Amino acid sequence: MEETKTNALTPQEQKDEEMINAAFKKLLDTYLASNHRRKVDIITKAFHFAKQAHKGVRRLSGEPYILHPIAVAQIACGEIGLGSTSICAALLHDVEEDTDYTNEDISNLFGPKVANIVEGLTKIAGGIFGDRASLQAETFKKLLLTMSDDIRVILIKISDRLHNMRTLSSMAPNKQYKIAGETLYIYAPLADRLGLNKIKTELEDLSFKYEHPEEYKAIEEKLSKTQRERDAIFNDFTPPIRAELDKMGLKYTIKARVKSPYSIWNKMQKKHVTFEEIYDILAIRIVFTPLKREEEINECFNIYVALSHIYKPHPDRLRDWLSHPKANGYQALHVTLMSRSGEWIEVQIRSDRMDDIAEQGFAAHWKYKDAGAEHDDNELNRWLNSIKEILDDPQPDTLDFLDTIKLNLFASEILVFTPKGEIKTMPANSTALDFAFSIHSFLGSHCIGAKVNHRLVPLNYRLKSGDQVEILTSRSQHVQREWIDFANTAKAKGKIQAILRRTDREHQREGEQLLKDFLTAKEIEPSTPNVEKLVQLHGYASREELLLAIGEKKVVLDENDVNCLRGKTASSGWRRYIPFIGSRTSSHVSSVAKAFVKGIDRKKTLMLDEETLEQCHLAECCHPIPGDDTLGYIDERNNLIIHKRNCEVANRLKSSYGNRIIATKWDTHKVHFFTCTIYIKGIDMQGMLCQIADVIHTQLNFEITRISLETKDGIFEGTLVIRLHDTDDVRDVCNALKRVQNVIKAVRVN
């Protein structure tokens, strides 16, 4: 049907139309420049269909909605290297969810392959940005299930997330924190595991930019200021290498790789160092075209030998990912060389093929590209299978599930041997117990120890590459609760938790019977309100926790429980003597505070002033103080808990309870004091303790509440717990301590 153009387009519509057509033309140009078969017609058809379906709809930024699917398709094609099927699915990925069209309509028009991918994407959409998304872990679970059917689903989902991150500025701050936290917790490690290094880095940097804008800006400025210095090192270091590679007759490029802002900041946080103390910001990357493709690994080693004649290599820092690639397909040879200016510089040697895989990931070369072709069972297949195993035994707690999966996502690998000499790839930091569960669940659950390299070791022994492991078992051995702390792999943790849950259910049944018998004997009805009173009395979070404690004999019911149920509160259990205990502090918040929390507008930024702070908790896990980047979390009991944005617990909350997150900003005026811990290290000299105390108490006039120092071999280190107002005070204290002679380090720690 032809439309009659009776109405001329308004200037805004004309502008929108030009913008949409330009974006689609760019997508087609990118597709035609690739080595995929030319299926322009079906892509154009999908574009027009999606454009019509989203007609009149705009994004929060104000631009026409269709620009989002085009941008997602552009990323999938241009940055991941996917073909026409994926481009069509990307263009149509929001049609089924946001319009009246069904999956059947899409299947009839574009075929079952495109329809299946769109259905997979629709299943996992479920309000990622909306109020429906109460548990992001559930979304993630669906994502993994669909991913194991067709890897293109997750690749398009990552493209979708990348575009949403690039346009995140139009969202409210609390949504920005939620989405950035979820990206850092789930999507960046997924991209990394699928070999999408470039996308992983951008997702991390964008998350960092929105969560910690000031730190991001500071690192960007420092990188910019030190650029000339790095250029000088690069220009001095590379000419002898170029001369040697020219002599070998290789076609190559040498690039400077600069550490990303997020990686730099992450290292600063973990190692408690400043920007100036990070020495691996610059690395050199050599990408060459092999003279013979089948000899590319040997040619990498030949380049290494040639380089070692020019510069001295570090004896302990040769990383060989050629013979045993990483689980995401990454192959390269990393060597650290001593430059003429006395600095260690990492050099990464890889072929052009290895470079493509490092940037785009071998997920882009998945088996769907060669229809009917048989592929070897590779690392990605094995990884997907290990995820399927975890999905077969779903965790009741979505946070536990996320943590379990993350163990698989982040792990780098070690190679260990069975007693018969077979090689087994394990995640780094795996223990003997992990190895036992990786062989068989029965072996793991009855494991009593192991022999590593013929030497007896305990269950929590951490394996190293090259270890030969023999597991020792006993039928009388059973899974213990502390084994959770011994296990570091997703599979082992999942199996241990499943076995413990079965045991817990038995204890809960016993506890339920004991409680029922006790209440019946005291002529009290075992009703839900009565049980809830006992739950609160003993300080447990749920009925199940109380029943488990009774079944395990951790709680013995007595007259206190009877008095509580009969309204005699004078003697209400030992917990009344301890106002705050662990995570149960929330039950003690006043009704005034709860009313205050209920009245908070979650879409606005909450100012943390003297009045507000009276109504909320400062999280024990990260001890935020004024000046820290923070967010608020409203728990199920309407308590407001303030966390630092980079706190591990906050990251889990952002990923699983995103809609309970609120944006916060400090507005204190050096009225209240907050506790802060400073780590200090230096060369031990007589009178050092007096000098430290003098700086803090006399010069700065802050109160030290605890001091703990230890000396060994002439070096002292320890912590000072100080009461101060904000992060400016922390900076002043650290700077003053560093000025004390022989103090090497003074940094704040959680």
Side-chain angles (χ1 to χ4, degrees), residues 513-522 557-558 561-562:
Q513 193 58 50
L514 284 168
L515 178 62
K516 192 177 176 184
D517 293 346
F518 175 79
L519 294 178
T520 306
K522 300 293 179 183
L557 300 167
D558 56 23
D561 299 280
V562 176

Side-chain angles (χ1 to χ4, degrees), residues 667-729:
D667 188 28
T668 53
H669 305 94
K670 292 194 183 282
V671 176
H672 289 302
F673 281 95
F674 298 85
T675 301
C676 170
T677 305
I678 306 282
Y679 168 80
I680 187 167
K681 183 178 183 179
I683 299 161
D684 190 33
M685 301 291 284
Q686 197 169 2
M688 182 57 74
L689 191 57
C690 283
Q691 288 183 63
I692 291 168
D694 180 62
V695 164
I696 294 166
H697 189 63
T698 311
Q699 294 178 32
L700 298 173
N701 202 25
F702 292 125
E703 181 192 342
I704 303 175
T705 60
R706 191 168 75 246
I707 188 162
S708 167
L709 294 179
E710 200 173 278
T711 303
K712 190 178 181 185
D713 300 330
I715 301 291
F716 78 86
E717 62 179 333
T719 54
L720 314 171
V721 180
I722 306 170
R723 284 168 53 75
L724 32 69
H725 298 297
D726 52 30
T727 51
D728 289 342
D729 290 349

Side-chain angles (χ1 to χ4, degrees), residues 534-541 545-546 549 554-555 560 571-585 587-588:
L534 293 179
V535 168
Q536 287 194 6
L537 173 73
H538 290 280
Y540 286 98
E545 278 190 29
L546 175 67
K554 287 178 183 173
V555 168
N560 270 337
S571 175
S572 57
W574 60 272
R575 286 186 184 276
R576 70 193 177 93
Y577 298 109
I578 304 174
F580 299 104
I581 182 159
S583 62
R584 298 170 188 146
T585 57
S587 60
H588 299 277

Side-chain angles (χ1 to χ4, degrees), residues 589-742:
V589 177
S590 70
S591 55
V592 177
K594 290 188 179 182
F596 163 77
V597 172
K598 278 185 180 175
I600 290 173
D601 183 346
R602 299 190 186 194
K603 291 180 181 176
K604 290 184 179 173
T605 300
L606 177 70
M607 303 310 288
L608 297 176
D609 53 25
E610 284 73 20
E611 191 180 325
T612 312
L613 287 168
E614 293 287 325
Q615 319 294 349
C616 59
H617 288 299
L618 297 178
E620 290 289 318
C621 48
C622 55
H623 297 286
I625 66 173
D628 285 329
D629 288 337
T630 56
L631 52 78
Y633 167 67
I634 298 172
D635 71 8
E636 65 280 358
R637 293 181 182 174
N638 266 342
N639 305 314
L640 175 60
I641 301 153
I642 307 301
H643 286 271
K644 283 165 73 172
R645 275 183 230 156
N646 63 335
C647 161
E648 262 306 308
V649 175
N651 283 336
R652 296 170 73 202
L653 295 172
K654 281 179 282 190
S655 302
S656 290
Y657 301 107
N659 296 312
R660 294 188 192 167
I661 299 296
I662 59 167
T664 57
K665 195 173 181 182
W666 295 99
D667 188 28
T668 53
H669 305 94
K670 292 194 183 282
V671 176
H672 289 302
F673 281 95
F674 298 85
T675 301
C676 170
T677 305
I678 306 282
Y679 168 80
I680 187 167
K681 183 178 183 179
I683 299 161
D684 190 33
M685 301 291 284
Q686 197 169 2
M688 182 57 74
L689 191 57
C690 283
Q691 288 183 63
I692 291 168
D694 180 62
V695 164
I696 294 166
H697 189 63
T698 311
Q699 294 178 32
L700 298 173
N701 202 25
F702 292 125
E703 181 192 342
I704 303 175
T705 60
R706 191 168 75 246
I707 188 162
S708 167
L709 294 179
E710 200 173 278
T711 303
K712 190 178 181 185
D713 300 330
I715 301 291
F716 78 86
E717 62 179 333
T719 54
L720 314 171
V721 180
I722 306 170
R723 284 168 53 75
L724 32 69
H725 298 297
D726 52 30
T727 51
D728 289 342
D729 290 349
V730 174
R731 190 175 60 248
D732 292 345
V733 167
C734 290
N735 289 340
L737 287 170
K738 284 176 192 168
R739 285 195 291 271
V740 174
Q741 193 179 4
N742 294 319

Side-chain angles (χ1 to χ4, degrees), residues 180-207:
E182 178 189 289
T183 299
L184 213 49
Y185 199 73
I186 294 171
Y187 288 92
L190 257 180
D192 184 38
R193 192 61 194 238
L194 296 170
L196 304 169
N197 183 57
K198 206 172 172 186
I199 288 176
K200 183 247 339 182
T201 303
E202 189 177 348
L203 287 173
E204 287 175 342
D205 282 346
L206 286 167
S207 299

